[in-house]
Amino acid sequence: MSTRLPPLRGLRCFCLAADNLSFKHTAEQLYITPSAVSHQIRQLEEDLGLSLFVRKTRALELTPAGKSFYLAIQPVMQQLVHTISEFSQNAGSKEVSISMPEFFASELFMPRLRGWSAQYPGINLRVDTVKTRSDPSRPTDVSIILSGSPPQAALCHELFAISYQPACNPSMYEQCSRLGLDALNQLPLLLHQSRPHAWHQWAEFAGIEHFRPKQILQLDSMFGMARAAEQGLGIALIPMPISQAWFHNGTLVALFEGSWTTRDKYYLIQHRQQPDRPEIQWLIDWVLASFEQYR
């Protein structure tokens, strides 16, 4: 005897609802109404003869049977989506989006994009950059952020920690090498506006007792700060390893041995699970592999 299978759209709707535990969020992802989601779930429950969700006033929970069914069907649905995407003639229209700080994008992410294009030639990628942590950004599938503590997000991956290194251009380095640590009291110091006390924190880390900088110049972008140091405007507190290229090509020179490691780390965040879009997980896996060397 053949078994009548439930509609595929109902199974897909169920998996999303189980991930989100919200009919509203599921409806947004499927571009339908919450009542349509509720109808599909009830139809699936009737087809299976099971109660899949406990519906509360402000919450949604899986029943024990719902949890068991989800664990069994979710891998099957993921494999089905993956197989269909591989054979789909419209694979080239897929798009995945990511946001990140602009300095991270220019120094680390963009140089690696050729690897993404080679590995996933049929997936379009949208990259949004933000200048500062407070800048608003368009909604994206995943984000890379800089934070002093782990973000409050369930789908979060730590990329790597940030350390800071005093540096200047080669011409200024000759002058700094003669002055030693006193160069920090005699020459302009450059720093990012988001870390106004960074130089004093670095001086404490370095054990400098009499730190009285003559002048501090604050810039509103990390790229602008590095460029100002390159032009000889002062000594900059440069983030590592994100700025390695500036040292490798001789544009900037490290002044002292050792670097100050802060609590700041880069994190990769997926804003919500979307099992029907495997390209998001492909992007996450690619980013994690691309920056594995810095962990």
Side-chain angles (χ1 to χ4, degrees):
M1 296 179 61
S2 61
T3 301
R4 188 174 70 88
L5 297 178
L8 182 60
R9 65 177 183 177
L11 295 172
R12 179 178 179 230
C13 184
F14 165 72
C15 287
L16 287 175
D19 285 332
N20 295 320
L21 292 180
S22 166
F23 286 172
K24 178 181 177 181
H25 290 160
T26 301
E28 291 173 354
Q29 291 178 237
L30 294 175
Y31 299 99
I32 59 178
T33 64
S35 61
V37 171
S38 179
H39 174 75
Q40 290 188 28
I41 297 298
R42 288 191 183 279
Q43 183 62 54
L44 179 62
E45 289 177 323
E46 291 180 6
D47 291 340
L48 296 174
L50 297 172
S51 177
L52 299 174
F53 289 100
V54 177
R55 297 163 175 83
K56 298 182 178 180
T57 304
R58 296 183 178 274
L60 191 67
E61 294 180 2
L62 284 166
T63 63
K67 290 180 182 179
S68 298
F69 183 65
Y70 172 75
L71 292 175
I73 199 66
Q74 196 264 352
V76 178
M77 292 297 295
Q78 279 192 331
Q79 182 59 48
L80 179 60
V81 170
H82 179 68
T83 301
I84 291 175
S85 67
E86 285 185 335
F87 285 89
S88 173
Q89 296 300 311
N90 297 320
S93 64
K94 289 184 177 297
E95 179 182 280
V96 63
S97 58
I98 184 171
S99 63
M100 67 192 71
E102 62 174 359
F103 195 66
F104 187 102
S106 66
E107 302 307 307
L108 287 185
F109 194 81
M110 297 303 180
R112 290 166 169 76
L113 269 184
R114 184 175 297 177
W116 167 266
S117 298
Q119 190 170 350
Y120 300 101
I123 308 296
N124 297 327
L125 178 65
R126 192 189 90 213
V127 180
D128 290 357
T129 62
V130 293
K131 192 171 186 178
T132 66
R133 302 185 199 186
S134 60
D135 283 349
S137 61
R138 291 188 294 172
T140 55
D141 298 313
V142 296
S143 298
I144 294 175
I145 67 168
L146 181 64
S147 176
S149 59
Q152 297 299 312
L155 305 172
C156 176
H157 305 272
E158 181 182 314
L159 292 181
F160 55 85
I162 286 290
S163 60
Y164 290 88
Q165 173 69 58
C168 61
N169 71 0
S171 298
M172 183 172 285
Y173 178 77
E174 296 180 7
Q175 180 182 3
C176 292
S177 61
R178 293 194 301 268
L179 294 172
L181 287 174
D182 197 44
L184 303 180
N185 292 328
Q186 297 190 33
L187 299 173
L189 303 183
L190 310 171
L191 56 73
H192 195 283
Q193 287 181 0
S194 65
R195 299 194 65 91
H197 307 296
W199 268 114
H200 288 81
Q201 292 170 326
W202 183 89
E204 183 178 355
F205 156 80
I208 302 176
E209 296 182 1
H210 303 290
F211 181 64
R212 300 183 181 87
K214 179 180 179 181
Q215 184 181 39
I216 293 181
L217 306 178
Q218 296 188 29
L219 294 96
D220 66 351
S221 79
M222 197 65 73
F223 184 82
M225 184 181 67
R227 182 66 72 185
E230 177 191 33
Q231 298 298 319
L233 297 182
I235 303 171
L237 206 53
I238 299 293
M240 298 294 289
I242 192 171
S243 306
Q244 283 182 342
W246 295 74
F247 294 90
H248 288 165
N249 63 24
T251 301
L252 295 177
V253 181
L255 283 180
F256 314 108
E257 293 185 2
S259 58
W260 167 49
T261 301
T262 70
R263 293 179 300 174
D264 286 345
K265 295 180 180 179
Y266 281 104
Y267 296 90
L268 176 66
I269 297 173
Q270 181 181 355
H271 297 293
R272 56 189 175 188
Q273 288 185 333
Q274 299 189 55
D276 61 329
R277 295 184 61 204
E279 62 270 21
I280 296 178
Q281 188 60 51
W282 299 340
L283 176 60
I284 291 172
D285 293 341
W286 178 80
V287 170
L288 294 176
S290 296
F291 300 107
E292 175 68 29
Q293 67 188 95
Y294 298 127
R295 295 186 187 179

